[in-house]
Structures are given as structure tokens and as C-alpha cells.
Amino acid sequence: MAADVIDGKSFASRIRESVACYVAELVSSIGVTPGLAVVLVGDDPASQVYVRSKGQQTVAAGMNSFEHRLPATTSQNELLGLIEQLNADASVHGILVQLPLPKGIDESAVINAISPAKDVDGFHISNAGMLSTGQKAMVPCTPLGCLMMLRQRYGDLSGLNAVVIGRSNIVGKPMAQLLLRESCTVTVAHSRTTNLQQLLSDADIVVAAVGKPLFVSGDWLKPGATVIDVGINRIESAEGGTRLVGDVDFDSASAKAGAITPVPGGVGPMTIACLLANTVTACYRAHSLPEPLELSV
Ligand code: NDP
């Protein structure tokens, strides 16, 4: 039987609708409009597209979007100065610095200069530490979106075997922490893992965040597994031009899995929706209000 295709596009659109309702509630109850500041340094074309899309979706949800576009020649001190200003600005509830930063700027120094309460990307070392010690953190957007989809599929995840492929700070590690918090039995695979196929053959949940097109074959999967494909890779298309594919070979995997996210239309749309959700959560927390449970995990 073909796997259920998890529709990230419509899930993300429901999250955005909820976000808009909570924004309206904040405006009417305390007169505060959540604000997201996005900082882009340099002129990387892909980053420009992401930033534009983030700004549009922020405004569409009724929030304030503050875009700061700085030249590639910006110094680290100038960037840190801007972050200091944004940290102090009460109308800004979330700050996102678009990565990658130009060479010569220390990304972790910049990320760790953001106030942890406004760190809606969840990359600050305090948020990483709080997540791993089971405290209330800002959760990185991509793993947050993946967990929301898994919770919708299973309800209770406890006792399930989960394999996360990839151990980056932005996807693999926080994903593994979240699954551990859900009481899954978690294995993290990486480039030195020698028995990946064996691990996957017993995995109820597979999260692939490798950055290698069509890397995971359906043959490797446990029948009925849920596959969350985080990868975004551009490859040459048989018809000419290029097309987007994930880290999982969708055709073979969907014949074996119970459920699978497509690329595009799976994890990708959830990531920006979760950024908006984190900004609203940050605003509720900033005003010491009980935060909307459906927007966080
Ligand atoms: P990184 O390059 O930072 O990490 C890739 C990970 O994959 C590393 O931990 C690496 O291991 C591991 N890996 C590489 N080769 C193998 C292998 N042969 N077997 C097992 N593991 C391997 O990537 P990111 O985590 O930043 O991103 C992963 C993918 O997700 C990319 O395609 C990216 O574009 C996409 N992405 C999508 C997002 C979305 O919104 N949908 C958001 C963020 C990322 P090691 O540590 O040993 O090198």
C-alpha cells in the first residue's frame, strides 16, 4: 500500500491561521502587535528569497515585520550593535539573523548576542541547553515543525524507535532532543555511522537531514515507518532544467513507508510557519501571558 503523504503545505497554512488568531487576540487584549526583525547581511540570492518570504508571511499573519538589509562589507561590531538595539526594542519580539553570514563574521558570536527570549530560530546556546535539559526553550523551527507533524500522526510517541540522520546544530541535534523528550528511543546517525541500513530497518520514525539527494532508499525502511524528509536538494531533471528533491528517494520510500513528507511541500512550509509561531510564543512570554499550547511543543 502506498504511504500516506503528509501535507506540510496545508498543515503550515493551519498554523498560520492559528498564529493570525493569536496575534489578533494580543492586539485586542493588550494592544501589542508581535514583531519579527529579520537581519540579512550581504546579497546571497537564496537568502534574499527566504527573507522576502518570511517578511510577507509575517505581515500576512498581522504581525510587524522589520527587515534590516546590510551590505556584505558590514563588520561584526556593526552587526552586534544592531542586535543590541533590537534586543532593547520592546516592539521586537523575535530576532532572526539569516545564515550564512559573510566570511569574517563569527556566526556563533552573533547568534549568542541575541537575547535568548527573542531567539526565534532557537540557535542560541542557552536555548540549546534548555532544550537538552528539558526546560522551556525556543525550539528551532525545522525540528519544531517535524515534531508537530509526528505528533499529529501518532499522538503519543513514547516507546517508538526513531533514527535521526544528521547531527547539525540546527536540525539533527535539536530533533534528537525533541524526540528524546517525547520518550522515543533515539539513534543519531552521521557520516561515520557504519550500520545505517540496519538501524533504519528497525526504525518506526526516520528523520532525514543529510543534504544528499535521494540518499535514503525505500528498501532500507521498516514497513509502515513514518519518514520525515528535511532535505532540500536541487538536481538535474530528466526533462531538462532542475528539480527539488529531498534526502529520501520518495518513489521507493512511499511504497514501503506508512507515511512520508514530500519535497517540496513537506517540512519546508512548516519551517516558516513555525518561525511565526515562535514569534507569537515569544510575545506571550514577554508579556508573562500563558502561551498558546498549539504553537509550541
Ligand atoms: P549539515 O550539512 O549541517 O548536516 C548534514 C548531516 O548529515 C551531518 O551531520 C553529516 O554527518 C550527515 N551525513 C552526511 N553524510 C552522511 C552519510 N553518508 N550518512 C549519514 N549521515 C551523513 O546539514 P543541515 O542539517 O543544515 O541540513 C540537512 C538538509 O536539510 C539539507 O538538505 C538542508 O538544505 C535541509 N534543510 C531544510 C530545511 C527546511 O526548512 N526544510 C531547514 C534546514 C535544512 P557529519 O556530522 O558526520 O558530517
Side-chain angles (χ1 to χ4, degrees):
M1 259 214 343
D4 296 336
V5 177
I6 302 173
D7 183 352
K9 235 170 152 178
S10 59
F11 198 149
S13 129
R14 290 199 299 279
I15 295 174
R16 288 197 303 271
E17 279 165 24
S18 297
V19 163
C21 290
Y22 286 110
V23 170
E25 192 176 292
L26 282 166
V27 172
S28 67
S29 60
I30 57 168
V32 171
T33 304
L36 172 64
V38 177
V39 180
L40 173 63
V41 188
D43 41 25
D44 176 63
S47 295
Q48 288 187 349
V49 173
Y50 290 138
V51 166
R52 195 175 323 121
S53 174
K54 284 168 187 172
Q56 284 165 349
Q57 294 193 34
T58 303
V59 171
M63 297 195 273
N64 290 326
S65 167
F66 308 105
E67 275 183 33
H68 296 267
R69 290 170 184 266
L70 307 178
T73 50
T74 304
S75 71
Q76 182 165 320
N77 277 345
E78 285 168 322
L79 183 53
L80 292 174
L82 172 61
I83 289 175
E84 206 176 305
Q85 268 177 43
L86 297 172
N87 282 341
D89 185 340
S91 66
V92 172
H93 302 93
I95 302 170
L96 179 150
V97 177
Q98 184 67 44
L99 302 178
L101 289 170
K103 281 204 180 83
I105 298 186
D106 176 352
E107 279 187 1
S108 50
V110 172
I111 298 304
N112 290 323
I114 298 172
S115 158
K118 297 189 179 189
D119 168 40
V120 282
D121 250 344
F123 297 161
H124 192 289
I125 195 163
S126 299
N127 281 313
M130 288 197 284
L131 178 61
S132 69
T133 52
Q135 298 173 67
K136 201 191 254 184
M138 272 292 156
V139 175
C141 305
T142 301
L144 173 59
C146 295
L147 184 60
M148 285 179 175
M149 292 193 283
L150 287 168
R151 275 197 180 163
Q152 193 194 43
R153 173 111 191 127
Y154 288 102
D156 181 7
L157 300 180
S158 64
L160 295 172
N161 276 343
V163 174
V164 179
I165 318 175
R167 56 175 165 179
S168 70
N169 290 337
I170 62 170
V171 189
K173 280 187 199 138
M175 188 73 241
Q177 293 295 351
L178 284 173
L179 290 167
L180 202 52
R181 216 177 65 178
E182 298 290 307
S183 297
C184 290
T185 304
V186 183
T187 306
V188 182
H190 47 77
S191 65
R192 305 294 176 93
T193 299
T194 54
N195 58 342
L196 181 62
Q197 295 188 32
Q198 187 192 335
L199 295 171
L200 293 186
S201 68
D202 195 30
D204 304 300
I205 294 170
V206 177
V207 180
V210 194
K212 289 192 189 304
L214 313 174
F215 175 71
V216 176
S217 160
D219 305 344
W220 305 353
L221 300 171
K222 176 176 173 178
T226 298
V227 179
I228 305 291
D229 189 354
V230 180
I232 303 178
N233 311 286
R234 193 165 280 285
I235 61 166
E236 304 218 328
S237 150
E239 298 81 43
T242 60
R243 66 185 178 110
L244 283 186
V245 295
D247 289 341
V248 177
D249 174 25
F250 184 87
D251 293 339
S252 64
S254 57
K256 190 95 174 271
I260 185 166
T261 59
V263 178
V267 175
M270 291 293 286
T271 298
I272 298 190
C274 287
L275 172 69
L276 306 183
N278 273 350
T279 306
V280 170
T281 298
C283 186
Y284 272 84
R285 289 181 188 171
H287 292 276
S288 305
L289 295 167
E291 66 200 61
L293 293 179
E294 66 185 288
L295 298 184
S296 57
V297 289

